[in-house]
Amino acid sequence: MVLRAERLIRGEGIQRTRLVTPYGPVDRIFSGDVHGTETHFLYGRFPGQRTPSWEIPYEANQSAFDALGVDHIIGTFVVGGVDKEVRGGDLIIPHDLVSLAGPRASLPPLSGRFSNAHVIPSFCPVLRRLLIRGAEEAGIRVHQSGVYFSFYGFARIETLAELELMERLGARLVGQTMDPEFTLARQRHRHYAAIAVAIDSYHDMKNETETDPEVFRARSRQAIADGRRQFEEIIEAGLATRGADGPEDCACAQVAKGRHRDMFASFPEDLL
C-alpha cells in the first residue's frame, strides 16, 4: 500500500523497515500481517518532506517493492474533482487513467529485454472489487468508477480552461502523482488499483472565487485527514473479506511467452 496508515502501522507486529535501493534509500516502510495478508505500507511517496511531483523517487519506491516481493499495490491519492458529481471530501475508486506526459522514470526490465506494459484494463479488477467491497463493509460512500486525468509537471493547479477540457473528455478526477507510479508497477506486472479523496471540486471552486483562500485550505486539510482515515477503514475491511469473490482471476501478472514476446522480438538484434 502507498498509504499514510496512521492507525494500522501502530498495530501489534508492524515493523518499520529501511531499504537501500540503486535509486536511494526508502526508510518509511511498515510491514506486518493484516487479516492474514502480508502487507507493506509505504508511508507516503515523498521522502520525509513534501517535494514537487517530478521529484518523487518513483524508481526507488518500486525498487523497494521489488526487494519486498510485492505483487499487489494499492495507491492512495489526494485529487481534485472534475465532474459535477464529485464534491470536496468525496472518495473515488478510479477505473481508468489518462496520462499524456510524465517524467522519464524507468527501471531495468526483469527479463533483460524492454517491453511496453500491457495496461488494458488499466487497474486490477480483483483489487478494485476488494476496495469496493471494503467500502460497502465499512459503510463508506464511494464513487465506484472514474477516469483519473494525470496533470503532470507544473507547479500549479489546473486552469479553468484545462479543467473544462478534462470534463469534456470524461475525466472525473485530476492529480499529479499516479503516473509514473502506475506505469512502473505495470511494467513489473504488478496488480495495481487506486482510491482517491477529492479535496476540492471544480464546480464548487467556480462559484467561490472570492472566498478567503484560508477557507479552502482548512477545508482541504480536513478532507485529507478524513480521506486517509477512510482509506484505512476501507482497505482493512477489504482485506478482512479477501477471497469472498472466490479465486482471484485477472490478467495483470500474465507475461507473453514464446518466440514473439513483444513487437520487436522477431527482428534481428543488429536492426534494433
Side-chain angles (χ1 to χ4, degrees):
M1 315 286 176
V2 184
L3 171 64
R4 295 177 184 271
E6 300 286 356
R7 178 177 56 83
L8 289 175
I9 64 176
R10 288 175 170 78
E12 185 177 349
I14 301 295
Q15 301 292 325
R16 183 170 180 171
T17 303
R18 184 180 191 273
L19 295 170
V20 178
T21 78
Y23 303 92
V26 179
D27 63 358
R28 298 198 303 169
I29 292 177
F30 296 84
S31 305
D33 182 281
V34 179
H35 294 294
T37 299
E38 181 183 350
T39 307
H40 305 278
F41 297 99
L42 175 60
Y43 190 87
R45 295 173 180 82
F46 304 102
Q49 62 182 4
R50 186 173 178 83
T51 62
S53 56
W54 55 87
E55 292 184 6
I56 295 174
Y58 293 103
E59 295 100 331
N61 293 342
Q62 291 297 320
S63 293
F65 290 143
D66 286 347
L68 293 167
V70 169
D71 52 14
H72 291 68
I73 295 178
I74 294 175
T76 62
F77 298 89
V78 174
V79 300
V82 176
D83 75 12
K84 292 182 175 66
E85 295 183 12
V86 176
R87 291 292 183 263
D90 283 9
L91 269 61
I92 310 100
I93 299 172
H95 73 279
D96 216 332
L97 166 71
V98 172
S99 183
L100 303 180
R104 295 184 178 181
S106 64
L107 292 169
L110 296 175
S111 65
R113 176 190 289 272
F114 171 79
S115 179
N116 286 314
H118 182 74
V119 292
I120 301 177
S122 302
F123 300 119
C124 175
V126 174
L127 279 182
R128 289 193 73 251
R129 287 197 298 269
L130 182 146
L131 290 170
I132 292 170
R133 187 171 63 249
E136 292 171 347
E137 291 290 325
I140 297 173
R141 176 182 175 273
V142 298
H143 298 277
Q144 296 187 7
S145 64
V147 174
Y148 180 114
F149 196 106
S150 185
F151 179 83
Y152 179 84
F154 299 98
R156 61 168 173 83
I157 63 171
E158 304 74 33
T159 67
L160 181 61
E162 289 163 346
L163 288 165
E164 289 176 346
L165 176 61
M166 293 175 198
E167 184 179 30
R168 291 175 185 174
L169 291 174
R172 171 160 280 180
L173 56 159
V174 58
Q176 293 192 352
T177 55
M178 185 177 288
D179 230 4
E181 177 177 288
F182 161 79
T183 298
L184 294 177
R186 294 300 296 123
Q187 283 185 325
R188 288 294 199 248
H189 306 289
R190 292 191 172 110
H191 306 257
Y192 189 95
I195 185 168
V197 60
I199 61 172
D200 54 38
S201 161
Y202 153 51
H203 288 276
D204 287 342
M205 291 173 65
K206 286 196 301 183
N207 299 322
E208 297 183 0
T209 55
E210 296 181 2
T211 301
D212 184 344
E214 287 302 322
V215 174
F216 280 113
R217 291 191 182 96
R219 192 163 58 200
S220 296
R221 286 193 293 267
Q222 188 61 52
I224 293 171
D226 291 343
R228 287 174 176 163
R229 173 180 53 78
Q230 292 173 317
F231 291 160
E232 287 192 78
E233 294 177 16
I234 289 171
I235 290 170
E236 184 177 23
L239 290 175
T241 60
R242 188 180 178 191
D245 292 332
E248 296 185 355
D249 183 18
C250 67
C252 299
Q254 291 183 5
V255 181
K257 299 177 181 179
R259 293 181 57 196
H260 306 295
R261 295 186 302 277
D262 58 55
M263 62 186 294
F264 300 112
S266 60
F267 288 86
E269 290 292 337
D270 60 354
L271 297 181
L272 296 180

